[in-house]
Amino acid sequence: MHTHTRFFSGLAALLMAAGAAAQPVVNVDAAHLGATVSPRLYGIFFEEINHAGDGGLYAELVQNRSFEDDADRPIHWTEIAGAKASLVTDGLLNDRQAHALRLEISKPAQGVRNDGYWGMNFRQQTTYTFSAWIKAEKAYKGKMIVSLSKSNGGYIGQTAVTLNLKAGKWTPIKDIKVLAEASDAEGRLALTFTEPGTLCLDVVSLFPPTYRGRPNGCRIDLAELLEALHPKFMRFPGGCYVEGQTTPRNNLHNRFEWKNTVGPIEQRPGHLSVNWGYNITDGFGYHEMLQLSEDLGAEPLFVVNVGLGHGWMQPYDQLEEYIQEALDAIEYANGDAKTTKWGAERAKNGHPEPFGLRLLEVGNENANFYFDSNRDQSEHYFDRYIQFYRAIKAKYPDVQIIGNVESWGTDEPSWRSQHPVDILDEHYYRSPSWFEKNFHKYDNYDRNGPKIYIGEYAVTQGYGVNGHLTAALGEAIYMQGLERNSDIVIMGSYAPIFVNEHNPAWRPDMIRFNASQSFGTPSYHVQQMMANNIGTRVVPVEVNGNTLAPTIGHRIGFSTWGTKAEFRNLEVKDKEGKVLLKSLTPDPSPKGEGSDYLEEMAKSFTSKSSKVYTPLSPWRGDGGEAGRRARAMGSVWQLTPDGTLQQQNQRAEGSVLLNTTVLPDDYDLHVQARRMEGNEGFIIVFGAEDDENLIWWNLGGWGNGQHAIEHMADGGKNTLAAQQGHLEEGRWYDVEIQVRGASARCLLDGQLIHEFSLPERQSLYANATLDERTGEYIVKLVNPTRARQNARIKLNGATVTQGRAIVLASENGSDENSMRAQLNVSPVEQPIHISEPTSVIMAPVPPFSLNILRLKK
């Protein structure tokens, strides 16, 4: 039979530029179906971090609405026209509030303004709902003008509220509607008054329209991004947020306590999240989380505290309060509205029917290594766990209990207890190459043991700025392994979801937003594509011809990390001893400090802009704040008259100066180097093709405590070899690197420190499922390399008649999305044209791509 397949046409230019194509064969064994795919496999994990809730998903526009964010002053509020504002702690609205705002109005048009969470997004012809509590020291008659203020002054919407206040009595102002007559992405809320008087305000709130019209609900665009993932479960509320952290101010009471987060918002005291550094209103509380889970069609998964937190612990034999808190939480979610206390409370709060909570996790990352103390929040974890397990199972036998295993320090976490457990929660924050290498991680897991939930995972090493495509493809490969093994791995959720761009306490995150805009990173698109294209049965897959021979690049260079350093006496020879590169000795004459010898050096060391000692664009594969600082600051490279190359910017981190000479496969590099000032040593770059694909020897890294070989490939980073090591300040060291094809030996002062060979790499990763509901075979192909693949897909035991392809690809693995280019890396869908029934599909697989083929029988 013949088939004519044309797709990915929109990527034609990319394919033409990708170089010679390999042709792996993907054998899909359609005749022998495997395990049933877990119906819960892909979900989401919400944690209050990065202003993910307050200032994000929770739609409240007023920041510090209850005046609890600071004990001394009403931050985020400013006085208008000479009004006097101060905090008071007496005569409060109720015993749940600690402060209120006292406002002295001496003349008309005075008042206060709130700046929101880095601005309020007002949209033309949209109605906003205002509410507040107010009282007067003396009887007060006048009007309060509720105004939507423009960021640069003036108003785009106003409503006057007539006040007739009795002295000393708190009065609710509810459901005041204000129409925005124009748009402003960084607006403010202004409250002004028509008559003099002394007033107190508390719980001042302004809501836009919310997701599904829920009162006290969610921001529409952010909730819709979650909805597009079609999550099967939602884990909440954290994370470290569950545990809290000891402070002199709050002790252990900054942990999440669900009973403080339900009911009217004026009855919620809020609390300081010490872990993530800001005050929480608790407006997006337990009830709202359950409601959002239901609205998303996701099963709720609640995480409870086991009496452990960061810097505090409750004795493990005094956990009655914590266990009862967990039991009451289940009753709130599931209890009968007429016969149970907490079920009745749920109904009072607007949800008479049970939410159906069936998943509960006992602790968050509390089973690490120090069970004899609380050094890593693990003190007597299993003794704590079993008390919760027995109490919950005795009353709610249908609730599945999730236990903790090690969350760091090992790639092989395990349940180190004889206690029964239903599901284990594994967490992995690693590099793109780690996720790629763990494609087969779960192939040999014990099928008779507990089921596995990957509760938190993400590329957090070598991800770029917001999260690049290479990071997302590493995660996609790992997810392919989860799908193939979803008889044992029954759930998985990326973490974290959200980051407000004004408060990036953790990077990366799969949804980035500000007051008015939001977008998904490549990791978000991977999560969406994988979750929305999953079948019901695993189909066995075998791929042939998909390995790439490892190669070490052919250029050398230098870098530093938080340290000033110097380099001299560079010499590079081929294996026959011929000198290929050598440091130039400058002309000793006065003009030697000028253009003559610098021009000579320019022949050897240049940048992309061909300017002498202007460094290359900083290495984009490095993520986090350090990489951003490197990009912002660059480096200061200078050549002294005696031929010493200096990097003089102690703050520079990871900026690379590459040599333009292309070296042979085999060469020896010699150089002398020393650290001058700073916390670390120096870096010798070798095996480089460009500033995203290189190997470097990081000497005296990690606070001058370790030497390591790090491999950067297409924006991802992996450690190939490491050992303890320290460099003395000001001492010259002799560095030698012997490169032989795909292997290298690294010597320091003549002593062998590292010897390694690059491992083979797969050029294509594949898995498949059958969707028995639609009759489609879903074949997923990930190409994490820069080489185009022409995959031959053979369906053994089936023929297909039509299909479509969903492709996430870009020219470079380091490509990202940003607020200015929100869809720079985003999926496209195209038909697969099949002229007659066939069992063979030819699929051009672009470089750096996730490809999902839906092939209909």
Side-chain angles (χ1 to χ4, degrees):
M1 293 185 181
H2 300 281
T3 179
H4 302 284
T5 305
R6 294 185 299 114
F7 63 112
F8 306 161
S9 57
L11 300 173
L14 175 60
L15 296 180
M16 291 174 64
Q23 192 175 61
V25 178
V26 180
N27 293 293
V28 180
D29 191 358
H32 298 90
L33 298 182
T36 298
V37 175
S38 170
R40 286 176 174 158
L41 184 55
Y42 293 130
I44 56 176
F45 164 46
F46 175 84
E47 179 173 9
E48 179 60 83
I49 179 176
N50 303 323
H51 276 282
D54 280 12
L57 182 61
Y58 182 46
E60 173 66 80
L61 296 176
V62 177
Q63 185 167 193
N64 193 20
R65 70 182 179 190
S66 293
F67 308 101
E68 309 297 347
D69 286 10
D70 189 281
D72 300 315
R73 58 193 179 92
I75 60 174
H76 307 297
W77 292 88
T78 55
E79 297 148 331
I80 297 175
K84 294 183 180 180
S86 60
L87 295 182
V88 294
T89 57
D90 57 351
L92 298 176
L93 175 62
N94 55 49
D95 62 3
R96 310 290 278 173
Q97 302 295 324
H99 301 89
L101 182 73
R102 185 174 186 267
L103 190 59
E104 295 179 45
I105 304 297
S106 59
K107 60 182 180 180
Q110 290 183 338
V112 287
R113 180 183 292 111
N114 185 269
D115 56 16
Y117 292 93
W118 302 280
M120 299 179 182
N121 182 36
F122 298 139
R123 296 183 183 273
Q124 189 174 21
Q125 295 304 304
T126 299
T127 299
Y128 297 81
T129 302
F130 172 85
S131 64
W133 287 80
I134 189 168
K135 77 171 182 177
E137 290 188 359
K138 297 180 180 179
Y140 181 89
K141 291 184 179 182
K143 292 183 179 180
M144 175 174 62
I145 311 301
V146 181
S147 302
L148 308 183
S149 172
K150 295 168 63 176
S151 54
N152 60 356
Y155 301 119
I156 58 176
Q158 290 185 319
T159 296
V161 181
T162 300
L163 303 176
N164 187 3
L165 305 176
K166 295 180 180 180
K169 181 180 179 182
W170 284 99
T171 301
I173 307 295
K174 293 186 177 295
D175 296 324
I176 304 301
K177 306 301 181 183
V178 189
L179 177 67
E181 298 175 354
S183 295
D184 193 309
E186 297 180 352
R188 307 287 189 266
L189 169 68
L191 304 177
T192 55
F193 298 85
T194 60
E195 301 296 331
T198 301
L199 307 170
C200 283
L201 293 170
D202 207 351
V203 197
V204 180
S205 173
L206 184 69
F207 266 84
T210 61
Y211 178 65
R212 300 207 176 188
R214 300 294 182 191
N216 199 48
C218 293
R219 178 172 151 176
I220 293 174
D221 62 324
L222 298 183
E224 286 180 343
L225 284 168
L226 297 182
E227 183 182 79
L229 296 171
H230 293 103
K232 297 301 186 292
F233 65 89
M234 175 175 153
R235 177 180 180 236
F236 61 84
C240 297
Y241 181 65
V242 171
E243 299 165 291
Q245 184 170 324
T246 298
T247 68
R249 174 181 171 187
N250 281 332
N251 196 12
L252 62 86
H253 294 293
N254 58 73
R255 71 179 180 91
F256 179 84
E257 298 179 76
W258 74 265
K259 293 178 184 179
N260 288 332
T261 74
V262 296
I265 60 173
E266 65 269 16
Q267 294 294 330
R268 306 185 191 189
H271 71 284
L272 173 66
S273 174
V274 179
N275 302 83
W276 304 121
Y278 55 93
N279 251 63
I280 311 298
T281 64
D282 283 326
F284 188 59
Y286 183 52
H287 184 96
E288 288 76 22
M289 294 176 190
L290 289 166
Q291 182 65 71
L292 178 62
S293 298
E294 182 178 82
D295 288 343
L296 295 173
E299 195 170 351
L301 190 170
F302 185 52
V303 185
V304 301
N305 189 292
V306 292
L308 291 173
H310 295 253
W312 69 271
M313 65 179 182
Q314 177 77 3
Y316 72 95
D317 57 355
Q318 300 176 27
L319 296 177
E320 294 81 4
E321 174 188 348
Y322 293 82
I323 294 170
Q324 191 60 50
E325 186 177 298
L327 293 171
D328 291 346
I330 300 172
E331 183 175 287
Y332 184 95
N334 298 347
D336 183 81
K338 296 182 179 179
T339 61
T340 66
K341 172 185 174 181
W342 290 107
E345 190 69 20
R346 180 195 69 244
K348 180 181 175 182
N349 293 330
H351 200 284
E353 296 301 316
F355 281 111
L357 175 65
R358 296 288 181 268
L359 296 167
L360 187 138
E361 183 164 358
V362 178
N364 171 73
E365 297 186 343
N366 295 136
N368 295 300
F369 304 100
Y370 297 106
F371 298 121
D372 60 332
S373 71
N374 197 38
R375 281 175 284 176
D376 56 5
Q377 297 82 58
S378 303
E379 196 264 359
H380 281 269
Y381 172 73
F382 293 112
D383 295 311
R384 297 168 184 272
Y385 164 86
I386 192 59
Q387 296 178 61
F388 281 82
Y389 181 92
R390 288 169 178 161
I392 293 168
K393 287 291 188 179
K395 191 170 183 179
Y396 302 105
D398 293 336
V399 172
Q400 290 186 284
I401 306 298
I402 302 170
N404 296 175
V405 293
E406 305 98 319
S407 298
W408 57 81
T410 178
D411 289 340
E412 302 297 332
S414 61
W415 184 247
R416 291 157 293 159
S417 170
Q418 297 302 309
H419 296 318
V421 64
D422 298 318
I423 305 169
L424 301 179
D425 180 8
E426 299 183 2
H427 294 182
Y428 299 106
Y429 294 108
R430 305 288 195 273
S431 67
S433 59
W434 185 92
F435 285 106
E436 184 175 333
K437 289 178 181 178
N438 280 274
F439 175 69
H440 294 287
K441 178 175 177 61
Y442 298 99
D443 291 1
N444 299 312
Y445 260 50
D446 181 5
R447 263 51 184 177
N448 296 316
K451 301 297 185 182
I452 304 299
Y453 165 39
I454 314 302
E456 300 179 32
Y457 69 93
V459 168
T460 55
Q461 304 164 23
Y463 60 84
V465 180
N466 297 327
H468 54 40
L469 181 56
T470 288
L473 295 179
E475 293 155 0
I477 291 168
Y478 181 69
M479 294 169 75
Q480 287 179 300
L482 304 189
E483 284 189 14
R484 195 178 61 255
N485 291 282
S486 67
D487 61 321
I488 182 70
V489 183
I490 61 170
M491 298 190 298
S493 51
Y494 179 99
I497 295 175
F498 291 116
V499 59
N500 187 313
E501 66 176 356
H502 296 282
N503 182 235
W506 178 288
R507 290 175 183 261
D509 313 87
M510 68 173 173
I511 297 174
R512 189 175 177 87
F513 63 90
N514 56 29
S516 61
Q517 300 182 73
S518 59
F519 69 89
T521 67
S523 290
Y524 171 83
H525 293 300
V526 162
Q527 292 291 321
Q528 183 185 36
M529 290 171 65
M530 296 292 282
N532 291 345
N533 295 279
I534 186 168
T536 56
R537 294 286 296 277
V538 173
V539 180
V541 171
E542 182 179 283
V543 185
N544 299 319
N546 67 325
T547 57
L548 292 175
T551 59
I552 288 181
H554 298 82
R555 299 169 67 193
I556 62 99
F558 304 104
S559 185
T560 60
W561 200 280
T563 305
K564 295 181 181 180
E566 297 184 336
F567 308 86
R568 71 182 185 186
N569 297 331
L570 169 69
E571 187 173 69
V572 182
K573 298 179 179 180
D574 65 16
K575 61 182 179 181
E576 282 79 32
K578 178 184 176 181
V579 176
L580 305 174
L581 278 174
K582 189 167 184 174
S583 293
L584 298 179
T585 302
D587 188 328
S589 66
K591 69 177 182 179
E593 297 185 13
S595 61
D596 289 353
Y597 81 89
L598 287 178
E599 290 175 1
E600 288 299 310
M601 288 299 294
K603 298 175 183 177
S604 181
F605 286 96
T606 66
S607 73
K608 289 178 178 176
S609 60
S610 299
K611 294 180 181 178
V612 180
Y613 289 119
T614 300
L616 294 173
S617 299
W619 168 50
R620 286 175 287 172
D622 178 74
E625 191 62 33
R628 290 189 296 281
R629 285 198 299 268
R631 277 185 294 279
M633 295 179 297
S635 301
V636 180
W637 295 96
Q638 291 189 4
L639 187 67
T640 66
D642 67 357
T644 299
L645 177 64
Q646 298 177 332
Q647 202 295 105
Q648 297 187 331
N649 188 348
Q650 185 173 323
R651 296 175 61 205
E653 297 176 336
S655 292
V656 174
L657 182 69
L658 285 182
N659 187 279
T660 58
T661 303
V662 177
L663 301 171
D665 291 341
D666 302 334
Y667 61 87
D668 294 339
L669 181 158
H670 297 80
V671 71
Q672 290 183 310
R674 64 177 176 178
R675 60 182 292 260
M676 300 302 293
E677 297 178 22
N679 297 324
E680 302 204 357
F682 46 77
I683 297 171
I684 311 299
V685 178
F686 65 103
E689 292 298 333
D690 52 45
D691 58 342
E692 292 181 358
N693 294 273
L694 54 84
I695 302 171
W696 71 23
W697 188 7
N698 190 347
L699 291 132
W702 294 270
N704 199 15
Q706 181 173 274
H707 306 321
I709 303 295
E710 296 183 279
H711 182 208
M712 278 64 77
D714 301 323
K717 180 169 66 172
N718 182 44
T719 300
L720 300 177
Q723 73 172 53
Q724 291 183 340
H726 176 84
L727 299 179
E728 298 175 19
E729 186 173 293
R731 173 186 165 187
W732 285 103
Y733 288 87
D734 290 315
V735 180
E736 181 177 0
I737 301 174
Q738 302 167 354
V739 177
R740 297 294 182 270
S743 302
R745 302 173 77 242
C746 301
L747 299 90
L748 187 65
D749 286 341
Q751 179 182 356
L752 180 66
I753 305 298
H754 309 294
E755 187 168 12
F756 69 92
S757 296
L758 287 181
E760 283 191 342
R761 188 182 186 191
Q762 285 186 221
S763 62
L764 189 70
Y765 292 83
N767 77 295
T769 57
L770 170 65
D771 192 334
E772 296 164 304
R773 299 160 298 191
T774 65
E776 291 174 293
Y777 291 99
I778 304 172
V779 181
K780 297 178 179 176
L781 308 172
V782 178
N783 178 3
T785 76
R786 60 179 56 230
R788 173 169 57 99
Q789 313 294 322
N790 284 330
R792 182 181 178 88
I793 301 170
K794 298 176 66 176
L795 293 164
N796 303 313
T799 58
V800 295
T801 59
Q802 58 183 289
R804 55 193 173 98
I806 305 127
V807 183
L808 181 71
S810 195
E811 293 186 9
N812 298 297
S814 59
D815 287 346
E816 301 191 12
N817 295 334
S818 66
M819 206 61 78
R820 291 185 177 181
Q822 298 179 6
L823 298 176
N824 184 47
V825 182
S826 56
V828 296
E829 182 172 331
Q830 296 169 327
I832 301 173
H833 299 291
I834 301 173
S835 60
E836 57 185 277
T838 184
S839 60
V840 178
I841 299 291
M842 296 301 297
V845 182
F848 308 118
S849 65
L850 165 61
N851 311 265
I852 299 180
L853 280 56
R854 297 192 69 114
L855 306 172
K856 194 169 182 64
K857 293 193 288 183

